[in-house]
Amino acid sequence: MKKYRIFGVISAVCIVLSVLYSFVGSSQIPTSRVLLSTNPPLERILPFEAEAEKPQSPVTLTLQAVDAAGKSLTNAKINLQILTPPHNPWLTTDFPIVEGTQLLQMNANAPDGKLEIQQMLPIRGNYQLLVKVSPLVANTFTAYEQTLNLNVHENPIKYKYFVVIAAILLSLGLLGGWVIGGQEELQQGEIAPQSVRLLLSALTVVAIVTLLVINISAEVAEAHGSGHHSTSTETIAPSSQKSQGLEINLGGDKNATVGKLANLALQVKDTATGQPITDVALQVKAIAIEHNLTVFDYKGIPDEQGKLTWLEQFFDGSPHKIEVEATPLSGSSRQFAPVKVAQEVEVEAIAPPIYIRLIGLFYFTAFVGIGMAIGLLIQHRRKPQARTN
């Protein structure tokens, strides 16, 4: 009986050890994954700046799907979603409406397991890249998902501007506190000394003017965005072309809104048979017409139905041009001169909510208040010394 008990204990211990070993061992087994690289390097990536002195270029994002051994997967389909940094009402960015939204969503065939796009990143913060990799040929590898993070730092010049503005506001508050703290004796019938009354009147006028400027500028920006029309004199290619045996149709939304995705689609067919064409290279660009700035760039191939679809957010409230150029693949039997199609997209800008403007005003007032408190404290400590002397 004892032998059976000992045997049972030993068996239980072996089972526990085998489970622990399999758990620890499985956590160390390499799995298929997606490698992310950027150009420029991550530490040099800056958010979009409309008034930048030098023209900005979109960030090149390269996603490489590899197997457990680190070898590139072939004949893969990659689904990519780019999520913008989450919303933070107390520390807003230059585009508050864009926070916590989707910037891009696309499906791409990747014969060599690589997806490369160029995308302008509008705001600072931590972007999430949701990647799904699946095989184009069934059972060649197991589909998997991965979440990648991309942290974009704020432009250092913004911190310099912040320090300068904060110093000015603190100085104004300090001057006000100094004047109020050193107030002279009240005359008969006066509620406050004349210097204090003048100071408070000036602060009231400044507060009113600041509110007016903030609200008027926001309304003007909204009207500018909603009523903006293209000023480019460049001739835009048609959205549909039939040339050299190819029929290319570019469709999708012609009106978009900041903060929301716009649907865009491209179809490539054979004009003679009407069958989809897959052996062509497609160069897709989204260009902000106002600044003549490329915000999205992708070069790839259509899927098995001759289609290329993607969803894109136009974060800058100005008209954009979608431009696609079809060229023959190297080594393909189908050879033709490049064919271009294009389409304009009107973008509706949305002004930041009123509470965001009020939060900014609160910060300005807080700096003035801190400076005033310091000025009052200095005068309060100074008066007893003066009386003693």
Side-chain angles (χ1 to χ4, degrees), residues 182-197:
Q183 59 184 341
E184 62 268 14
E185 295 182 1
L186 293 176
Q187 301 295 327
Q188 186 175 0
E190 287 185 335
I191 300 177
Q194 183 179 6
S195 58
V196 176
R197 284 185 277 119

Side-chain angles (χ1 to χ4, degrees), residues 324-374:
V324 181
E325 183 180 39
T327 54
L329 290 173
S330 58
S332 172
S333 59
R334 187 187 300 273
Q335 297 296 315
F336 55 91
V339 181
K340 281 188 178 182
V341 291
Q343 175 177 297
E344 278 198 47
V345 179
E346 290 291 334
V347 183
E348 180 185 357
I350 299 179
I354 186 65
Y355 74 89
I356 292 181
R357 310 176 206 174
L358 294 178
I359 289 174
L361 180 62
F362 167 76
Y363 288 147
F364 293 154
T365 307
F367 282 117
V368 175
I370 293 172
M372 189 172 290
I374 295 174

Side-chain angles (χ1 to χ4, degrees), residues 119-162:
Q119 174 66 56
M120 191 72 75
L121 302 176
I123 58 177
R124 68 172 187 273
N126 185 42
Y127 291 80
Q128 281 193 329
L129 280 65
L130 309 181
V131 187
K132 297 179 182 179
V133 182
S134 56
L136 287 174
V137 181
N139 301 322
T140 53
F141 63 87
T142 303
Y144 62 94
E145 302 179 8
Q146 187 174 346
T147 300
L148 303 169
N149 293 293
L150 184 67
N151 190 28
V152 176
H153 300 285
E154 184 59 278
N155 194 330
I157 194 88
K158 297 288 184 69
Y159 296 114
K160 296 180 182 179
Y161 291 155
F162 172 77

Side-chain angles (χ1 to χ4, degrees), residues 310-328:
W310 73 101
L311 291 86
E312 183 176 353
Q313 179 185 165
F314 303 102
F315 56 86
D316 185 15
S318 63
H320 285 65
K321 177 178 68 172
I322 307 300
E323 186 178 88
V324 181
E325 183 180 39
T327 54

